[in-house]
Amino acid sequence: VAGSEAGWWVTLQGSGQVANINNGNVESYEVGPDPRGISVGGDGRTFVSRWRSTDEVGIVYEVSGDELVLGYDITPDSDTTNRGVPTLIEAPVVSPDGGYLYVPGHQGNTARGIYRDGQTLTTPKLTRIMMTCVFVVGVTLLAEFRQT
């Protein structure tokens, strides 16, 4: 649930929609599969996370119909990072100036394993908490910095 002058926004997880409740009126908007976290920027743009990602990318929807795609991380596995896809994405947070979107979640190591790359998948290399900072103009992803 997130609120602004334009009313209250609620994710409808089972339907792939969000609803805007304003002065007793309810309008639904199709965003895509598995909507979860929701936030509203100062300019009224509403962002919705896709909770469970595809095998290739993480996604943050904008209610306008656009998507921010969070790419597959190819950074080599180490004691502090792992390869993989952003997933289990929580509510994105819009910076006060509207230029950045902070996206929290997990990064599952979908590249490692005996049948994938020949390396054993150990607990420290399985998944990590991650925070992605996306610099956006409109919904164009200009730069992405991810910390796992």
Side-chain angles (χ1 to χ4, degrees), residues 7-146:
W8 289 95
W9 290 91
V10 180
T11 56
L12 307 173
Q13 289 181 274
S15 68
Q17 298 178 329
V18 296
N20 180 260
I21 304 164
N22 190 2
N23 294 325
N25 297 318
V26 178
E27 290 186 63
S28 296
Y29 300 87
E30 192 74 34
V31 289
D34 214 8
R36 175 77 170 223
I38 191 167
S39 65
V40 180
D43 59 0
R45 293 187 302 167
T46 303
F47 295 94
V48 182
S49 64
R50 178 177 175 160
W51 175 240
R52 290 173 294 241
S53 299
T54 69
D55 289 341
E56 295 84 27
V57 296
I59 297 171
V60 175
Y61 307 112
E62 187 175 359
V63 173
S64 69
D66 293 316
E67 294 180 351
L68 289 172
V69 175
L70 306 175
Y72 191 94
D73 188 346
I74 59 171
T75 305
D77 297 340
S78 73
D79 60 342
T80 59
T81 63
N82 63 262
R83 299 170 283 172
V85 177
T87 190
L88 304 181
I89 301 172
E90 294 290 347
V93 177
V94 182
S95 66
D97 67 0
Y100 296 90
L101 188 66
Y102 297 92
V103 183
H106 286 84
Q107 183 163 297
N109 192 343
T110 56
R112 191 178 183 107
I114 296 297
Y115 296 106
R116 296 215 178 225
D117 69 353
Q119 298 182 63
T120 304
L121 184 58
T122 59
T123 302
K125 305 266 191 292
L126 180 61
T127 186
R128 300 213 186 257
I129 303 300
M130 68 99 200
M131 174 69 73
T132 298
C133 176
V134 180
F135 176 63
V136 293
V137 172
V139 293
T140 304
L141 183 134
L142 297 180
E144 177 185 345
F145 171 76
R146 187 173 308 154

